[in-house]
């Protein structure tokens, strides 16, 4: 099937490449000529495991192409909208500028019977408004939220755990859902749940899922705060409660909290939309979820200050990690980088290392020092702060090896990823998050 994908960022580029890999003929469209140039050469403009191979294969096969020219969408049966919906500069609501611009660009090239499939995360009510603009062309709008995780985006796109299609009522909606089933044929054939619903539900499914995940993380981080004043160990607490199948172990990792391009802005946009709908109180807890999350960054900074005897001024601090999570170069709303910036602001001599995110981090925070080699970053450091749990830091950095390089023996484990006993045994003063 011929497909177009508007937006070639973390969502759209992966979607385009993944759809080509399952046999479709796909054109990716983006307003950024640099991104398009890189993608057209089969090169990923950002780090996402598996994407580079998929792009190279897709472009070489001739089934995958990229352009800045929206007219290339003409003739595609399904047009995906995968542009960003960032937080507005002056508030909590989502900025729909890019979604509206993509629809404006697409409308002149739509034909009767086409499907427009929105994947961007939008405030509930957006799809209904967009459908009204699309209807005169004879095309049908479907809301098809995306649940991919960065770092696992290729796998999550080709083999998602569920597919959701918000469609209009009647035959038009049935036909649209059927066409979408054809698009996702390998996942549908293996029995992946395919939920057909209305626009509002499909939009809410996405924000509700992210709100739930954010709440789960902040719940365990709240337990970390209580553990800190009681001498309890939140990692053992999480292990124990997670054995209850109703709770489960995933997303119970206490640490410096969530970040990235989705969870923080999605819970804020949800709060803002609920206020607009007169139901602010229904999700008022999300403000607490946000507040707990942000407090954990400050807690990590406090632990560094404590570990260094009351002040970080003039101390060399190696910050391990800049990306908001491992297997990604994404630094949007990264708690890791925030901790580095705060320490730098307190007069510390901060050196940040990360296997993939240094270039992005340097562009945003040129005031920090960066060192790609882990061992060089920790050389002569007074303290080590682990803030992104890349294997290079969490699994592969032996305390004895670290001791041979650093000046001090203070380690702050912002992700509770290190073996505390092993570090202590090697002579280090170890601080975890919510652990004695
Ligand atoms: C999230 C959703 O998981 C995904 O379904 C949605 O499509 C987009 O938003 P992503 O932003 O890629 O995906 O990251 P995710 O893996 O959810 O992690 C978010 C943040 O939570 C990271 O900063 C991570 O470090 C943090 N986290 C995760 C914790 O602090 N503790 C945990 O136990 C799990």
């Amino acid at each position: 099937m011929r497909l177009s994908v508007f937006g070639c960022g973390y969502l759209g580029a992966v979607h385009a490449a993944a759809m080509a890999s399952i046999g479709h003929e796909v054109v990716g469209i983006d307003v950024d000529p640099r991104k398009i140039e890189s993608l057209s050469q089969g090169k990923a403009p950002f780090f996402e495991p598996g994407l580079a191979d998929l792009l190279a294969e897709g472009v070489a096969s001739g089934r995958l192409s990229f352009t800045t020219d929206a007219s290339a969408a003409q003739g595609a049966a399904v047009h995906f909208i995968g542009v960003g919906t960032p937080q507005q500069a002056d508030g909590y609501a989502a900025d729909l500028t890019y979604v509206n611009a993509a629809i404006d660009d697409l409308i002149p090239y739509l034909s009767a019977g086409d499907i427009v499939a929105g994947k961007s995360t939008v405030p509930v009510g957006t799809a209904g408004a967009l459908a009204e603009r699309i209807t005169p062309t004879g095309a049908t709008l479907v809301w098809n939220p995306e649940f991919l995780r960065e770092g696992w985006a290729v796998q999550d796109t080709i083999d998602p755990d569920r597919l959701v299609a918000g469609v209009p009522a009647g035959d038009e909606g049935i036909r649209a859902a059927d066409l979408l089933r054809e698009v996702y044929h390998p996942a549908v054939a293996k029995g992946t749940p395919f939920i057909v619903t209305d626009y509002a539900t499909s939009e809410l499914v996405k924000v509700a899922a992210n709100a739930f995940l954010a709440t789960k993380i902040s719940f365990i981080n709240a337990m970390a705060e209580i553990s800190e004043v009681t001498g309890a160990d939140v990692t053992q607490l999480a292990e124990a409660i997670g054995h209850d199948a109703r709770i489960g172990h995933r997303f119970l990792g206490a640490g410096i909290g969530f970040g990235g391009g989705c969870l923080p802005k999605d819970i804020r946009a949800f709060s803002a939309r609920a206020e607009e709908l007169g139901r602010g109180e229904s999700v008022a807890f999300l403000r607490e979820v946000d507040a707990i999350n942000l407090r954990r960054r400050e807690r990590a900074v406090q632990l560094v200050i404590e570990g260094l005897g009351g002040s970080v001024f003039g101390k060399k601090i190696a910050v391990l990690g800049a990306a908001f999570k491992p297997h990604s170069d994404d630094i949007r709303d990264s708690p890791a980088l925030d901790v580095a910036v705060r320490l730098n602001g307190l007069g510390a001599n901060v050196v940040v290392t990360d296997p993939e995110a240094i270039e992005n981090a340097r562009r945003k925070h040129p005031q920090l020092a960066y060192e790609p080699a882990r061992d060089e970053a920790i050389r002569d450091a007074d303290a080590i702060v682990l803030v992104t749990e890349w294997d290079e830091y969490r699994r592969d950095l032996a305390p004895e090896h670290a001791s041979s390089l650093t000046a001090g023996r203070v380690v702050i484990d912002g992700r509770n990823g290190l073996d505390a006993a092993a570090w202590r045994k090697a002579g280090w003063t170890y601080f975890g998050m919510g652990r004695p």
Side-chain angles (χ1 to χ4, degrees):
M1 201 184 297
R2 276 187 69 184
L3 311 175
S4 80
V5 179
F6 280 72
C8 295
Y10 286 98
L11 193 176
V14 175
H15 194 69
M19 292 300 107
S21 81
I22 59 170
H24 299 298
E25 192 185 319
V26 188
V27 59
I29 298 166
D30 198 289
V31 293
D32 180 350
R34 284 203 358 244
K35 222 180 256 174
I36 291 301
E37 198 189 319
S38 157
L39 289 164
S40 298
Q41 292 166 7
K43 290 189 196 136
F46 52 86
F47 175 75
E48 179 63 46
L51 177 60
D53 289 346
L54 228 53
L55 279 172
E57 277 166 36
V59 170
S61 74
R63 280 200 309 278
L64 179 61
S65 61
F66 294 93
T67 177
T68 55
D69 180 4
S71 74
Q74 194 152 27
V78 181
H79 308 272
F80 289 98
I81 306 294
V83 294
T85 51
Q87 187 177 328
Q88 278 179 10
D90 58 353
Y92 269 11
D95 179 352
L96 295 178
T97 307
Y98 305 113
V99 172
N100 287 318
I103 295 289
D104 288 340
D105 290 348
L106 171 61
I107 281 178
Y109 305 108
L110 285 175
S111 306
D114 286 5
I115 301 290
V116 178
K119 298 202 76 65
S120 306
T121 302
V122 292
V124 57
T126 305
L130 295 177
E132 281 179 26
R133 293 176 53 205
I134 286 166
T135 303
T137 66
T140 301
L141 182 77
V142 177
W143 213 259
N144 174 221
E146 179 55 61
F147 305 103
L148 66 78
R149 300 158 298 167
E150 287 177 31
W152 309 93
V154 169
Q155 180 195 317
D156 286 351
T157 305
I158 296 173
D159 188 15
D161 49 18
R162 80 287 209 189
L163 289 155
V164 175
V167 300
D171 288 349
E172 187 190 1
I174 293 171
R175 188 189 152 270
D178 284 345
L179 205 61
L180 217 54
R181 280 193 188 89
E182 270 182 56
V183 170
Y184 294 115
H185 60 96
V188 170
K190 70 176 272 206
T192 303
F194 190 103
I195 294 138
V196 180
T197 182
D198 53 85
Y199 288 150
T201 306
S202 64
E203 293 167 312
L204 275 174
V205 167
K206 176 60 193 269
V207 286
N210 276 358
F212 191 89
L213 294 171
T215 303
K216 201 171 176 191
I217 298 169
S218 277
F219 174 83
I220 201 64
N221 279 330
M223 296 306 107
E225 292 186 331
I226 302 296
S227 297
E228 277 154 13
V229 292
T230 54
D233 185 332
V234 76
T235 62
Q236 291 180 343
L237 180 141
E239 211 229 306
I241 63 172
H243 284 298
D244 183 331
R246 295 168 301 174
I247 297 174
H249 285 113
R250 297 176 72 185
F251 275 66
L252 275 190
I256 57 167
F258 59 81
C262 293
L263 298 191
K265 65 112 177 145
D266 286 353
I267 61 168
R268 291 172 192 159
F270 196 9
S271 297
R273 186 65 184 134
E275 293 280 350
E276 285 169 11
L277 294 166
R279 281 286 179 275
E281 73 269 29
S282 302
V283 292
F285 66 92
L286 291 178
R287 304 275 167 156
E288 278 311 312
V289 166
D290 204 355
I292 293 164
N293 190 54
L294 295 175
R295 282 204 296 270
R296 300 315 287 162
R297 304 170 180 196
E298 192 48 43
R299 170 68 183 167
V301 171
Q302 277 170 9
L303 288 176
V304 185
I305 295 171
E306 199 182 311
L308 289 173
S311 171
V312 298
F313 191 85
K315 299 281 171 60
K316 179 176 174 185
I317 301 175
V319 174
L320 306 188
F324 83 105
K325 67 172 190 180
H327 314 292
S328 173
D329 66 357
D330 195 347
I331 53 136
R332 287 177 294 171
D333 215 333
S334 169
L337 208 45
D338 194 18
V339 167
V341 167
R342 287 173 197 232
L343 290 168
N344 180 67
L346 293 171
N349 165 17
V350 171
V351 178
V352 178
T353 187
D354 191 286
E356 297 293 340
I358 286 183
E359 287 321 309
N360 286 341
R362 198 198 304 276
R363 230 171 286 131
K364 178 131 193 259
H365 294 294
Q367 77 276 25
L368 300 177
Y370 297 94
E371 168 52 62
R374 182 199 70 191
D375 283 2
E376 287 313 308
I378 67 175
R379 192 180 294 283
D380 300 328
D382 296 296
I384 293 178
V385 187
L386 187 153
V387 277
T388 313
E389 65 275 39
W390 288 98
D391 284 345
E392 289 87 327
Y393 314 143
R394 181 192 59 82
R395 188 195 59 196
D396 302 342
L397 179 58
E400 297 75 17
H401 177 67
S403 302
S404 72
L405 295 166
T406 56
R409 297 284 181 278
V410 175
V411 61
I412 289 82
D413 184 1
R415 294 293 184 179
N416 288 340
L418 300 173
D419 180 345
W423 282 77
R424 287 190 172 124
K425 197 160 161 251
W428 287 74
T429 306
Y430 170 95
F431 295 88
M433 302 291 291
R435 312 178 72 178

